[in-house]
Amino acid sequence: MMPIWTKSGEKRPVTLLKVQDCHVLRYVSKEESGGKTAKLLVGGKNVSPFSKPESAHEIFKEAGVPRKQKVTTFNVTDDAIIKPGTPLYAAHFRPGQFVDVTAKTIGKGFQGVMKRWGFKGQPASHGQTKTHRRPGAISTNKAAKVYRGKKMPGKMGNIYRTSFGLKVWRINTKHDIIYVNGSVPGHTNCLVKVRDSKLPTYKDCNKNPPFPTFFADGDEELPEDLFDAEMFQFTDPSVTFA
Amino acid sequence: RVSSDGKPPKFQPPPKPVIIDRKTQKEERRFLSPEFIPPRGRTDPLKYYIERKDMIQRRKVFNIPEFYVGYVLAVTTADPYASDKSKRFVGICIQRGGKGLGATFVLRNVIEDQGVEMCYELYSPRIQAIEVLKLEKRLDENLMYLRDALPEYSTFDVNMKPVPRMDHEEIPLNKLQVRMKPKPWSKRWERPKYNIKGIKFELPEHKMKAAQKWSQPWLEFDMLREYDTSKIEAKIRKELSEELEK
């Protein structure tokens, strides 16, 4: 994470996400998957093929791509289908877009109720006998049972969570890096899924994105860095207020 | 020379000239701003490389002078609410923190009997000028104890003129020992963990000895805490000199 400044001099924290060897692996049609839209399987980050059996390599061999560490599905409309085997780059996104980022949160292990659910616990003194971080009462008398889903101690973290509506401030096409506003779930160097935002406020925010994706061997020559209009670029002189 | 046997003294060849390469010596000593050195961790070095490119870009456009803790600086920032749209603050640098683009430095001054500390970000676009008024290194790298020292040690004239410097090589070291206000202080500065050399402790002997109870003499031998930055620094210095010459 690093700071970024707007043209008016305000500081924003920004997370850097690197697009590392992403390829489209397979196209699954609407009828095959049984969902509402067609799906595209996408894999990221190359990994050694020797730690998994040959049966697991089928998808990668069909696409002609080395084995990937993570395979995710994206729901796509029929006009956005891409041929399996095409590489995906950071230039697929443009500055000013809004994205949702999904990742597995940092695992905290078995945690008590105060850390996991934010319970207040009990006072430290004034007669409390061996009860400082316990949940206290877990149900009422009339219920005569404990409801399903009662917040209790257990394994915390290491589950998929999404941050919605994060603005893309900058794209580095040379190193394939996306600068995304705010923080993102997961530890440093963890694998992350970046998707166009599905929030209703940002439905019409994408003005002319590269559709279906950015093809590196196409005619378009992009500069090394793409900046958002509001972002302060370090080539400009210092900010002054007129 | 007195000869030994009446024979002429043995021929002593002149000592070989020792060539001191002043240029390479100067390059080794050149200042590398502490925020360029990446902290120890498991982050991808690509992230620090990208951040350094931005920092170098900013340095090309805006001059950030070389300064240490103890220098007296004047910083002009852009302010939308001031009448001139800019604000000037003069103060002694008491701390330099942060790594990468978020590097900060804290300036302290006493204005109208009120101590004021301003924390500025080195790479913030709002900063319009940084001038070094007085070049003076101190005994410590962190002068936070000035908060508990007598106010005269933190007062600097707001309209101070930059002190002219003779030499281009040596930065004067001020071995000033600062006198403190009576205790309680914000931190227990006599304790060895702060390792402060710039205070004239007027505490009784038994208190100074009691403070040594919290010393951790094994820390300096702890090998896991060692972070050798010499190679990293050499690489970054080379990168910086190449980029800034472009």
Side-chain angles (χ1 to χ4, degrees), chain A residues 52-121:
Chain A
K52 286 285 177 200
E54 286 290 326
S55 49
H57 292 328
E58 265 183 49
I59 310 178
F60 306 110
K61 278 195 188 143
E62 281 168 43
V65 136
R67 189 188 136 223
K68 304 286 183 186
Q69 188 171 345
K70 183 122 196 83
V71 177
T72 45
T73 43
F74 287 89
N75 292 336
V76 270
T77 45
D78 286 323
D79 52 352
I81 301 169
I82 308 174
K83 184 178 169 187
T86 40
L88 300 173
Y89 299 99
H92 175 97
F93 296 103
R94 287 294 144 92
Q97 263 189 307
F98 287 84
V99 284
D100 295 340
V101 178
T102 315
K104 264 198 172 173
T105 48
I106 299 178
K108 314 262 177 182
F110 197 101
Q111 286 299 336
V113 111
M114 275 177 84
K115 191 185 196 66
R116 196 179 183 209
W117 300 112
F119 284 15
K120 282 187 77 179

Side-chain angles (χ1 to χ4, degrees), chain B residues 179-204:
Chain B
R179 287 186 58 211
M180 305 290 274
K181 289 195 249 187
K183 269 202 160 194
W185 296 332
S186 60
K187 293 255 150 83
R188 294 173 221 242
W189 302 113
E190 74 275 10
R191 294 222 173 147
K193 89 171 199 199
Y194 297 109
N195 195 19
I196 290 181
K197 304 184 184 102
I199 299 183
K200 187 175 182 141
F201 290 110
E202 278 151 9
L203 297 171

Side-chain angles (χ1 to χ4, degrees), chain B residues 19-177:
Chain B
I19 304 168
I20 309 168
D21 208 350
R22 297 243 176 241
K23 209 175 174 188
T24 44
Q25 275 192 356
K26 259 193 220 166
E27 278 177 39
E28 278 161 27
R29 266 190 296 158
R30 207 156 55 171
F31 175 68
L32 178 68
S33 212
E35 72 265 7
F36 279 103
I37 302 163
R40 214 159 59 142
R42 290 164 70 176
T43 335
D44 199 357
L46 176 68
K47 185 245 177 186
Y48 297 121
Y49 172 69
I50 300 275
E51 227 178 343
R52 247 177 287 139
K53 269 199 333 193
D54 276 339
M55 286 152 76
I56 293 169
Q57 186 53 255
R58 174 76 180 148
R59 274 175 187 253
K60 280 191 196 169
V61 172
F62 172 72
N63 171 43
I64 299 175
E66 160 190 340
F67 69 98
Y68 297 86
V69 165
Y71 277 38
V72 178
L73 307 176
V75 173
T76 345
T77 32
D79 187 14
Y81 309 111
S83 47
D84 287 335
K85 302 297 171 196
S86 70
K87 228 187 333 199
R88 186 170 193 259
F89 186 76
V90 172
I92 183 171
C93 176
I94 54 176
Q95 178 185 274
R96 277 189 85 159
K99 299 280 178 200
L101 277 176
T104 53
F105 62 102
V106 181
L107 297 182
R108 180 183 165 82
N109 201 346
V110 171
I111 300 174
E112 291 179 21
D113 296 331
Q114 172 64 49
V116 177
E117 286 183 12
M118 296 282 287
C119 178
Y120 291 104
E121 283 149 14
L122 274 177
Y123 296 96
S124 168
R126 270 197 174 168
I127 296 186
Q128 284 160 348
I130 305 180
E131 301 141 32
V132 175
L133 297 178
K134 196 167 176 197
L135 286 101
E136 203 182 54
K137 265 206 209 184
R138 297 286 205 114
L139 289 166
D140 308 301
E141 275 181 5
N142 202 310
L143 299 177
M144 284 291 179
Y145 56 80
L146 289 180
R147 292 172 180 169
D148 299 313
L150 298 172
E152 66 197 34
Y153 296 102
S154 317
T155 25
F156 296 93
D157 183 22
V158 182
N159 306 314
M160 179 167 146
K161 298 281 178 222
V163 167
R165 233 175 49 122
M166 296 290 142
D167 256 339
H168 280 276
E169 292 220 18
E170 278 183 41
I171 304 164
L173 175 68
N174 190 355
K175 298 197 177 166
L176 173 67
Q177 300 246 297

